[in-house]
Amino acid sequence: MADNLFPDSVKDFVFDLHDASRRSLVPSEQQALYAGSFRDVTAKYFPTSSWPAPEAIASECSNDELFLALYNELTLRHLQSVKRPNVRDRIDGWHAYRKLFDLILSEAPQDGGEKGRDQLYLLPEWCFDILHEFLYQFQGFCQFRTTTYSAAAKTADDPEKSPASHILDSIEVLKENRDAWAVETVLFYLHRLVSVGLQKNVNVTYRYLAYFASVTLSRLECLLGDYKASISALNVIYETDAETLAVGEEMKSPEELVNGVFPARLSLAYHAGVSFLMLRRYKDAARMLGGICLFMQRGFKTGLLRKIPGSDQFNKLFDRMIALLAIVVHICPMPLLDDSIASVVREKHAGNLSKIETGEEGYEELFVFACPKFINPAVPNYDEALKAGALTMPYGQDTYKLQVHHFMNEMTAQQTLRKMRSYMCLYTSIDVEKLASFNDMKVEEFEPWLVCFKHKMQQIEQSNDAGAQDKIGTAMDIHYYVAANSVHVDEAEKTRRFENFFMKQIANNDDILKQIEKLNVNV
Amino acid sequence: MTSAPPTHSSIQSLLQTSAYDPSIIPQLESYVRAQLSSASTSLSSSSDAQYSFDANRTLIKLYQFFPDRQDEGVVAMATLLALMNWPDVEVGCLQCLVGEGVMGSEPCATLVRCSELLESCLFSSFWPELRKLGIPEYGSDPNTPVSEDRKLLANAVNGSKCSNTIRENMLRTLSKVYKNAPLKNVLEALDLKDESSLTAFASKIMVGASNGAENQIGIVEKVENGYVVFASCVENSKRVGSEFKKGVGYGDIARMMQESKIRGQ
């Protein structure tokens, strides 16, 4: 598009955004442009098409390379949201992100030096959106190359069939760009952003990038099936002695920074919840998922969440997290959730839970619905796809199937353990032999289950005290031990305590009052 | 001339700087072998080759990223090291990263079976399975020479450190369930011959971490009348009195009042 064909509002937007991010560095100005003007101009002039190419608007931002890379990412993000990307679009996306991160890192201050200190400001939302989209495109690319490979492999066996031309074209482009979206490079950038942003005396934008890169890293590790790494990636956010950082007019902790950007908070909670579940840390999973679901339930009622871009996805993720909570509370009968969320879980998944109670399979259905789209990170050998007898998955790797299989392995014992628990709850002491007969087993067969129950329910839990180390706890709601061939059972305290209910309602009321105080009611 | 295996500190440094660079695969593989060699001796492991799940997991992930670099023998060694750390969930964590093709073939398939038996607490069935791994030729193609890695795995399995570590973890698990357990059952679970072997073994295992302190209590209190009596702990004893659970702490109330007060100003 020639310079004189641009609407003035496009030129103004580019000029003003450049000014806000590279010169004036005023958060409120950038907020109005990024969250407001960009959406308005897009809706008016480019609802289903691309913004002008960076080269076409370069003069409006003094040919600033870093800003042009930011602009390119922003506009590509819009384009990919309205038009399904083909293989070349995906490769272009990779080059755009590489260039952007290389430029951001090249301007980063080195080890407390002055370089780059006041040359860049990006809103927290903008920082998160860049990283979130980066990983979303990586995830999409991994899925794309796996399905392309599988489509080619399926027709390879039949000499009368050949893969469709678009499949062959895609395979050729993928072969020419084997390094595109390489997982080790994606990890490199995320780790580098974290380490650069956590240096002393660094520009606040780099700190934003560091913490949101941690959230993104946690998500990536979860999608790879490395749940311990997923949880460890979040340590920098929850460090008790982390310095606060300026967010607009306020000073916030890293956790408050992340919670202030709702999509980041949601992504963190969901992937951490999945990771805790797969690590058999059921209480931590319930705490993480229950907390975010409660917040969202309130947000849906007040309409607060509808105002956030991308809110159409929130309902889906809410439903998935409720399904995960159904699994967790079924394994751990102790009261872990707020009453309102517990009732949502019961309403939505009563059917599945009663199936599990009767011995039918229900856990897998819940998990398959709720789990993320795990990714196969390895670059396929595309020539193999075109040979007869090729495996339909590259290298026979299927990360998704592996996670489902591992989850179901964990769940196979749960039915027997639930039955045991239900009988144990009826007694304060009972002979091992009698308990075995209730469970339709001989004593020799039953005794290992007594040990297995305690073992399976033993878990690591985050300590309630800030800064304290994780501790070993139990997800059981009963306590038992075996002495002289008898099982002695102490049940969990059943007395309903009311102080927690009142404290919770006071805190909820407090949150609502805070939100009301922030409303601008000037007429 | 073989080069010295990397040290624990050099590996930690590599993980900080180059965790996903495929060029570090040989060093990580070498470190897995060093950890297993250390586990093959009855000497306490030197700090140079101390167990590092992070290092082993990083290697397994590099195999996930670069499947043509995958070494099944090394995967098996890393899995055995994780098995020795049971009841931690490390074997499960590795299983989420390794394809079913590798985990389904020997020796990994037997290692997975061992892990399943530990998870199900079928301790007496565990030992015959583990012993299979002590035979280097087990599960391998008779026409293929046994690799050095497979021999290293077999040596580690046959070494006392591997068995004793797993035995100790089993004993600790049993002590959390039983106040007293039939001696016969405990001997079968730990694959020990008789009472004197059990007494000799258990005398070195203390409640909590063994740190050589004078007032540490042995995990097995005594063996009497055909029963193993475990030292009392929270897990294997009745809860004393009614457990008064503090509903809400003073700090929570103080914080709530402070926040309300600030808003009221």
Side-chain angles (χ1 to χ4, degrees):
Chain A
M1 199 187 273
D3 188 39
N4 57 358
L5 293 178
F6 292 161
D8 283 341
S9 47
V10 173
K11 292 186 208 173
D12 292 342
F13 170 79
V14 171
F15 181 87
D16 292 341
L17 189 64
H18 177 244
D19 186 65
S21 48
R22 296 291 257 162
R23 286 192 291 261
S24 68
L25 312 181
V26 176
S28 54
E29 284 177 16
Q30 196 177 105
Q31 177 76 29
L33 290 161
Y34 181 76
S37 306
F38 179 71
R39 225 180 308 163
D40 296 340
V41 174
T42 302
K44 191 166 181 185
Y45 298 109
F46 314 108
T48 56
S49 60
S50 60
W51 276 62
E55 305 77 53
I57 50 89
S59 58
E60 299 301 328
C61 55
S62 315
N63 292 290
D64 180 343
E65 226 185 333
L66 174 53
F67 180 77
L68 286 170
L70 286 164
Y71 169 86
N72 189 31
E73 189 276 332
L74 180 63
T75 52
L76 268 180
R77 204 189 318 152
H78 153 66
L79 185 64
Q80 293 209 6
S81 71
V82 298
K83 179 190 145 197
R84 193 183 169 81
N86 59 32
V87 61
R88 287 177 180 80
D89 294 332
R90 294 178 191 274
I91 306 284
D92 287 344
W94 170 241
H95 293 308
Y97 279 105
R98 282 209 75 167
K99 186 167 182 185
L100 174 60
F101 290 138
D102 286 342
L103 286 165
I104 285 177
L105 291 167
S106 71
E107 284 204 16
Q110 303 297 323
D111 295 325
E114 292 295 314
K115 180 188 173 195
R117 183 182 283 282
D118 296 315
Q119 291 177 2
L120 176 68
Y121 180 76
L122 300 177
L123 292 167
E125 293 84 344
W126 195 348
C127 293
F128 177 71
D129 287 344
I130 290 171
L131 291 161
H132 189 68
E133 180 72 12
F134 174 57
L135 199 60
Y136 177 71
Q137 290 197 23
F138 169 66
Q139 189 181 11
F141 185 81
C142 290
Q143 285 156 355
F144 169 78
R145 71 180 172 204
T146 300
T147 49
T148 302
Y149 181 99
S150 301
K154 277 180 187 147
T155 52
D157 266 338
D158 189 342
E160 289 184 19
K161 270 192 194 171
S162 59
S165 60
H166 70 276
I167 299 283
L168 288 174
D169 177 54
S170 296
I171 294 244
E172 277 312 306
V173 174
L174 289 169
K175 277 165 70 173
E176 285 162 18
N177 293 277
R178 287 187 65 84
D179 289 343
W181 294 106
V183 64
E184 66 274 19
T185 315
V186 171
L187 281 161
F188 164 76
Y189 281 123
L190 291 175
H191 278 285
R192 193 86 187 101
L193 286 168
V194 173
S195 62
V196 162
L198 295 183
Q199 291 174 125
K200 293 268 177 220
N201 301 321
V202 79
N203 174 326
V204 74
T205 299
Y206 286 92
R207 290 198 70 194
Y208 296 163
L209 286 167
Y211 293 119
F212 291 122
S214 305
V215 174
T216 311
L217 196 52
S218 172
R219 177 178 160 203
L220 172 56
E221 298 286 15
C222 179
L223 296 177
L224 293 171
D226 189 350
Y227 305 109
K228 281 207 175 199
S230 176
I231 299 302
S232 303
L234 301 174
N235 287 346
V236 294
I237 294 170
Y238 296 113
E239 258 180 38
T240 43
D241 53 357
E243 272 179 48
T244 52
L245 59 167
V247 180
E249 305 289 318
E250 298 174 57
M251 295 302 289
K252 291 188 174 179
S253 68
E255 187 180 349
E256 287 166 337
L257 166 73
V258 171
N259 287 347
V261 178
F262 180 72
R265 182 178 181 177
L266 179 59
S267 174
L268 184 157
Y270 171 68
H271 293 97
V274 170
S275 298
F276 281 134
L277 173 65
M278 297 298 275
L279 288 171
R280 224 192 273 164
R281 291 174 64 165
Y282 303 123
K283 276 183 176 170
D284 288 338
R287 179 183 48 78
M288 184 66 75
L289 295 168
I292 191 73
C293 283
L294 186 62
F295 181 86
M296 288 176 81
Q297 189 186 46
R298 223 179 294 143
F300 288 141
K301 281 185 191 155
T302 59
L304 188 70
L305 294 182
R306 268 199 295 275
K307 297 175 190 166
I308 302 173
S311 58
D312 49 324
Q313 297 298 315
F314 296 163
N315 269 313
K316 285 185 203 165
L317 214 43
F318 179 80
D319 288 341
R320 284 157 85 183
M321 291 191 292
I322 292 292
L324 290 171
L325 282 171
I327 297 170
V328 169
V329 300
H330 200 254
I331 297 170
C332 309
M334 60 166 68
L336 294 170
L337 301 179
D338 187 87
D339 287 342
S340 56
I341 295 298
S343 68
V344 172
V345 170
R346 280 193 298 272
E347 273 168 39
K348 287 190 179 246
H349 295 290
N352 269 94
L353 295 178
S354 56
K355 265 166 78 174
I356 298 169
E357 291 293 326
T358 56
E360 286 180 57
E361 180 37 56
Y363 283 129
E364 185 169 353
E365 199 175 311
L366 284 168
F367 185 74
V368 162
F369 169 70
C371 71
K373 293 192 175 99
F374 299 104
I375 52 180
N376 299 327
V379 180
N381 182 345
Y382 299 105
D383 292 330
E384 290 295 317
L386 303 170
K387 291 182 185 168
L391 295 168
T392 51
M393 295 296 278
Y395 307 107
Q397 261 182 3
D398 190 336
T399 309
Y400 167 79
K401 215 166 123 189
L402 199 58
Q403 310 315 309
V404 176
H405 179 72
H406 175 72
F407 171 75
M408 287 311 297
N409 268 350
E410 278 295 314
M411 295 300 111
T412 41
Q414 290 299 328
Q415 195 192 351
T416 307
L417 297 179
R418 282 188 67 81
K419 192 176 174 184
M420 267 175 68
R421 180 197 159 273
S422 64
Y423 285 115
M424 284 161 85
C425 284
L426 299 173
Y427 296 89
T428 50
S429 81
I430 176 172
D431 284 346
V432 173
E433 197 175 336
K434 192 170 176 185
L435 191 56
S437 70
F438 287 158
N439 286 275
D440 305 315
M441 291 190 219
K442 292 187 183 148
V443 172
E444 314 79 66
E445 195 188 338
F446 180 69
E447 276 170 338
W449 283 105
L450 284 170
V451 185
C452 182
F453 190 14
K454 272 213 184 181
H455 160 62
K456 286 277 191 193
M457 299 305 263
Q458 183 179 271
Q459 60 181 343
I460 297 174
E461 293 169 16
Q462 283 183 350
S463 173
N464 288 332
D465 302 321
Q469 288 231 333
D470 293 343
K471 55 182 182 167
I472 304 284
T474 179
M476 289 198 301
D477 59 339
I478 58 172
H479 166 74
Y480 70 91
Y481 64 98
V482 182
N485 290 323
S486 280
V487 180
H488 301 270
V489 184
D490 297 327
E491 204 169 345
E493 191 181 307
K494 274 201 171 151
T495 315
R496 193 172 172 83
R497 301 191 73 101
F498 296 99
E499 61 271 24
N500 279 327
F501 173 79
F502 281 109
M503 290 291 289
K504 217 169 288 179
Q505 296 306 317
I506 291 169
N508 289 348
N509 185 59
D510 220 49
D511 274 342
I512 293 168
L513 286 173
K514 277 183 191 159
Q515 284 170 35
I516 291 172
E517 280 163 7
K518 282 186 186 161
L519 290 175
N520 183 358
V521 294
N522 292 328
V523 177
Chain B
M1 184 171 75
T2 52
S3 55
T7 60
H8 181 76
S9 51
S10 67
I11 288 291
Q12 295 309 308
S13 174
L14 262 185
L15 295 181
Q16 291 287 324
T17 54
S18 327
Y20 299 109
D21 182 349
S23 66
I24 72 168
I25 287 178
Q27 284 147 293
L28 293 177
E29 287 174 337
S30 180
Y31 194 65
V32 169
R33 294 186 183 99
Q35 289 170 77
L36 208 64
S37 295
S38 171
S40 300
T41 71
S42 55
L43 300 169
S44 54
S45 63
S46 69
S47 60
D48 279 358
Q50 60 180 248
Y51 177 56
S52 171
F53 178 68
D54 279 347
N56 299 347
R57 188 190 70 212
T58 301
L59 175 61
I60 299 298
K61 275 169 77 177
L62 282 166
Y63 286 160
Q64 191 191 29
F65 302 163
F66 306 101
D68 49 350
R69 303 282 300 263
Q70 185 162 249
D71 186 324
E72 292 181 18
V74 175
V75 174
M77 290 192 280
T79 308
L80 178 66
L81 288 164
L83 196 74
M84 288 168 61
N85 227 31
W86 182 86
D88 205 323
V89 293
E90 288 171 4
V91 175
C93 290
L94 294 184
Q95 283 180 280
C96 289
L97 299 170
V98 180
E100 286 173 346
V102 171
M103 283 306 195
S105 54
E106 294 296 346
C108 288
T110 300
L111 281 161
V112 167
R113 175 87 183 121
C114 287
S115 172
E116 285 167 0
L117 289 167
L118 283 178
E119 285 293 312
S120 307
C121 300
L122 292 167
F123 296 152
S124 52
S125 305
F126 166 83
W127 298 103
E129 286 298 311
L130 184 70
R131 277 193 280 278
K132 290 177 186 173
L133 293 168
I135 306 166
E137 296 79 13
Y138 175 75
S140 60
D141 182 346
N143 300 319
T144 312
V146 175
S147 67
E148 290 305 312
D149 283 345
R150 185 63 183 88
K151 288 178 192 169
L152 182 55
L153 185 81
N155 281 347
V157 167
N158 293 330
S160 58
K161 189 168 179 186
C162 174
S163 311
N164 284 341
T165 303
I166 295 174
R167 209 168 260 136
E168 177 178 340
N169 292 335
M170 286 177 175
L171 193 61
R172 289 190 186 282
T173 303
L174 289 171
S175 74
K176 288 179 185 172
V177 178
Y178 289 96
K179 178 57 191 153
N180 48 52
L183 174 62
K184 176 173 167 291
N185 292 3
V186 176
L187 291 177
E188 278 174 9
L190 302 185
D191 194 37
L192 292 171
K193 269 190 319 203
D194 50 29
E195 182 182 329
S196 54
S197 332
L198 172 65
T199 313
F201 175 73
S203 63
K204 297 173 206 148
I205 300 170
M206 304 295 135
V207 172
S210 302
N211 58 15
E214 278 184 13
N215 54 353
Q216 286 205 296
I217 305 170
I219 201 166
V220 170
E221 203 175 277
K222 57 188 172 184
V223 180
E224 189 177 67
N225 300 329
Y227 278 84
V228 176
V229 181
F230 291 99
S232 293
C233 64
V234 167
E235 298 287 342
N236 66 14
S237 310
K238 188 168 175 57
R239 285 188 189 145
V240 176
S242 64
E243 194 178 306
F244 175 69
K245 285 185 186 167
K246 194 171 59 173
V248 60
Y250 173 76
D252 292 330
I253 298 201
R255 200 164 30 246
M256 181 190 75
M257 290 176 69
Q258 181 67 16
E259 282 168 13
S260 303
K261 183 183 161 190
I262 287 170
R263 194 177 324 98
Q265 282 171 352

